[in-house]
Amino acid sequence: MSLDGSDSANKPSNFIRHIIDDDLAANKNAGKVHTRFPPEPNGFLHIGHAKSICLNFGVARDYQGLCNLRFDDTNPSKEKQDYIHAIQEDVKWLGFDWEERLFYASDYFEQLYQYALELIDKGLAYVCDLSAEQTREYRGTLKEPGKNSPYRDRSVEENRDLFKRMRASEFVDGSRVLRAKIDMAAPNMNMRDPTLYRIRHGVVHHQTGEEWCIYPMYDFTHPISDALEGITHSLCTLEFADHRPLYDWVLDNISIDCHPQQIEFSRLNLQFTVMSKRKLTELVDEGHVDGWDDPRLPTIAGLRRRGYTAASIVEFCERIGVTKSDNSVEMGMLESAIRDDLNTNAPRRMAVLNPLKVVIENYPEDKVEQLSAANHPQNEAMGSRSVAFSREVYIDRDDFREEANKKFKRLVLGKEVRLRYGYVIRCDEVIKDAQGEIIELRCHYDENTLGKNPEGRKVKGVIHWVSAQYALEAEIRLYDRLFNHPVPDSSKDGVDYHQRLNPDSLQILSRCYIEPALADAAPGERFQFEREGYFCLDSASSDKIVYNRTVTLRDSWEKIEEEMSEG
RNA sequence: UGGGCCGUCGCCAAGCGGUAAGGCAACGGGUUUUGAUCCCGUCAUGCGGAGGUUCGAAUCCUCCCGGCCCAGCCA
């Protein structure tokens, strides 16, 4: 925070912004900044994509530049229109706007084809008849150079003819590809005559239908798409660093007057979850989770349904920063971001998750009081609501013990506790069933304790409650980490990530009681259930009330309890 | 000696030759009708290691150690 009140000190500082600062200082790109977010529509976006979105759109915003949304749709066999809709929803929900700049790599198929012809004409690309397997053999290994394809020296005329016939559907899948003619002995594998085009029959492309049977590869498409859109800084993840020489090669060898700069940053790794599209797709397809928006998934849709706000995700992305180092971010980082947001913005309510009936014997049976409860303890502007109080209420089973030491600041047999926003009560009797399980508490209340402390004694504990008569019944879903290993897909010990799924990642409490003011909550609306955590009204359930727990409150009692049990 | 990239607190991360920011976590203490929030305080003589250059090194040089990525007609 700067003392002069300017907000420049709050802008993120990272190596990419340094590069841009230098470019601007040197008047590169005529002082313009233009980025793009280029997902392949083969799945839902996840928190790792959010990092890229915040980076690309954030940089554009802070440098008065532009950021495009572009679907990198060059492999129709993996892509779906459904994903295109979902991705746009997620980017918008995060708060970013590509305005009129929505593009598809497939928009450029014809231009790409013409550039391929140009490479052929320059003797820099050739049609190769090697099978996929042969191509692999010819490529060599990491330490040994490859060898030239026998088709490498075909004439320009023959290459033109063959490539046009590839497009004209004359050849079957896998029979031929178009390759760049670079260097089969290059130490960088990507430069060993990479494939530029492959043949794909029998797939309907979600944008171009059956117009094409040849599809350009990423390495050929990406630099050209960037250049055609006037991108200045092409930001991507680290695994593409080895592709940069090829990115540059393509642009250096075709007639195009724009040459974006590719800059790589490290992808986000979040502990106790997986982030690869392949694994997320498997979790969904194999039914380990309930769809792409399952609240346990690190997808944007999952986090949204879980109750995460867009602001908290953006804040999280700012906190983790952008570097080139490998990282393994703790879940606590994400949780802290959403707690910060919800602590200041979520109205408070009371809900009892594991109900235990309490009968207040000295409270008249037909009496009902509407007690006033502030919606937020630190923000009066959020107003208040009334909470019905009656002779029978529910409290949480965890808030009662027959005997306990003084560290237990809740209800104990023979002792007092305050009902939040209400009276102090004393427990006089415990009713048990035949199995010895507690089924009901008999209590007395002190009518002089509403809004004031009792006279002559201190009551430290405060517990939440709901009126048995006026409470609403609800289902509450508690989520835990999806995996029980910090790096579920670690290849270190040869264990498959499926074996590290946490069997207790979802706990459903079907008979919870929530306060009557929650009757008119809207789907997706978020609340703090006092002393329990932050919850969000599920957006996909209609026949019953379902709340998802977004995150718990910080809990120092848990630690005290552990220490006591350890002795 | 295949090529590329990276090592700053338990996690994330500033730092760009002038003497180790910040956040998360943790640990003390205060306020509190949420064991929440909030507030105050503690938390790297040390920057993967060893040498060297320099008045001065996390920053420059050398060597070493460790980690990640690359052999799709995926992106």
Side-chain angles (χ1 to χ4, degrees), chain A residues 101-256:
Chain A
R101 297 177 311 283
L102 170 63
F103 302 111
Y104 294 81
S106 55
D107 293 342
Y108 314 127
F109 279 175
E110 182 58 39
Q111 289 166 91
L112 260 356
Y113 177 79
Q114 295 301 327
Y115 282 121
L117 250 19
E118 182 183 352
L119 286 180
I120 290 173
D121 289 343
K122 287 177 171 169
L124 293 173
Y126 62 97
V127 172
C128 181
D129 301 359
L130 252 27
S131 68
E133 194 183 338
Q134 289 171 314
T135 303
R136 194 187 327 125
E137 286 162 10
Y138 273 78
R139 189 154 32 229
T141 69
L142 293 176
K143 295 190 177 179
E144 301 157 34
K147 55 188 186 208
N148 288 170
S149 161
Y151 305 98
R152 200 171 198 262
D153 294 317
R154 289 219 254 229
S155 68
V156 169
E157 292 67 34
E158 188 182 6
N159 280 321
R160 275 192 82 98
D161 176 60
L162 254 16
F163 187 50
K164 286 185 176 178
R165 289 165 61 194
M166 277 170 65
R167 178 181 184 172
S169 210
E170 290 189 28
F171 309 120
V172 299
D173 287 16
S175 60
R176 288 178 224 268
V177 293
L178 182 73
R179 293 227 254 166
K181 190 189 287 188
I182 308 180
D183 179 8
M184 289 306 292
N188 182 340
M189 301 295 282
N190 295 117
M191 300 300 269
R192 321 247 261 227
D193 289 10
T195 299
L196 265 23
Y197 270 88
R198 75 287 214 183
I199 301 171
R200 283 284 174 281
H201 286 285
V203 282
V204 179
H205 189 285
H206 46 93
Q207 301 305 309
T208 60
E210 294 178 291
E211 188 184 345
W212 293 84
C213 67
I214 56 171
Y215 289 94
M217 300 286 288
Y218 165 86
D219 282 311
F220 182 62
T221 309
H222 209 84
I224 297 174
S225 303
D226 281 348
L228 289 172
E229 292 175 18
I231 300 304
T232 57
H233 301 270
S234 180
L235 314 180
C236 62
T237 43
L238 240 31
E239 66 272 24
F240 292 101
D242 286 342
H243 296 241
R244 189 180 349 119
L246 179 51
Y247 182 102
D248 291 331
W249 183 92
V250 169
L251 295 178
D252 286 342
N253 288 291
I254 61 172
S255 308
I256 200 160

Side-chain angles (χ1 to χ4, degrees), chain A residues 6 35 86 104 126 130 205-206 216 249 253 307 321 356 467 504 526 537 541:
Chain A
S6 77
T35 58
Y104 294 81
Y126 62 97
L130 252 27
H205 189 285
H206 46 93
W249 183 92
N253 288 291
L356 172 59
S467 157
D504 305 314
R526 307 171 181 90
L537 182 57
S541 316

Side-chain angles (χ1 to χ4, degrees), chain A residues 389-416:
Chain A
F389 181 73
S390 57
R391 187 170 196 264
E392 296 190 353
V393 301
Y394 290 112
I395 66 169
D396 197 283
R397 303 195 88 93
D398 290 343
D399 287 336
F400 175 75
R401 283 188 191 173
E402 286 185 85
E403 45 188 285
N405 66 26
K406 50 196 165 301
K407 279 191 175 173
F408 186 78
K409 304 193 301 182
R410 308 179 187 188
L411 186 59
V412 178
L413 179 57
K415 305 264 173 53
E416 287 182 309

Side-chain angles (χ1 to χ4, degrees), chain A residues 519-561:
Chain A
D520 50 7
E525 200 168 349
R526 307 171 181 90
F527 301 94
Q528 182 195 97
F529 289 169
E530 293 199 64
R531 304 207 313 127
E532 292 289 358
Y534 295 99
F535 295 78
C536 165
L537 182 57
D538 191 71
S539 41
S541 316
S542 50
D543 52 332
K544 55 186 173 186
I545 300 176
V546 174
Y547 276 89
N548 294 314
R549 184 173 69 193
T550 308
V551 66
T552 60
L553 257 27
R554 283 183 70 224
D555 185 5
S556 56
W557 164 243
E558 199 173 47
K559 276 168 218 158
I560 297 168
E561 224 178 0

Side-chain angles (χ1 to χ4, degrees), chain A residues 255-323:
Chain A
S255 308
I256 200 160
D257 57 4
C258 177
H259 193 135
Q261 179 184 6
Q262 175 178 306
I263 305 171
E264 310 86 19
F265 62 94
S266 58
R267 57 191 311 154
L268 166 65
N269 297 301
L270 236 199
Q271 293 182 1
F272 293 100
T273 191
V274 293
M275 216 75 101
S276 92
K277 282 260 188 81
R278 192 203 102 214
K279 288 168 193 129
L280 292 174
T281 305
E282 283 174 5
L283 289 170
V284 172
D285 290 349
E286 295 167 4
H288 297 110
V289 295
D290 187 23
W292 284 97
D293 68 343
D294 188 294
R296 291 167 293 183
L297 252 19
T299 52
I300 306 298
L303 291 167
R304 177 169 58 231
R305 188 161 170 204
R306 173 86 169 243
Y308 274 78
T309 60
S312 72
I313 293 172
V314 171
E315 171 66 18
F316 168 75
C317 290
E318 271 173 25
R319 289 183 190 182
I320 59 172
V322 178
T323 68

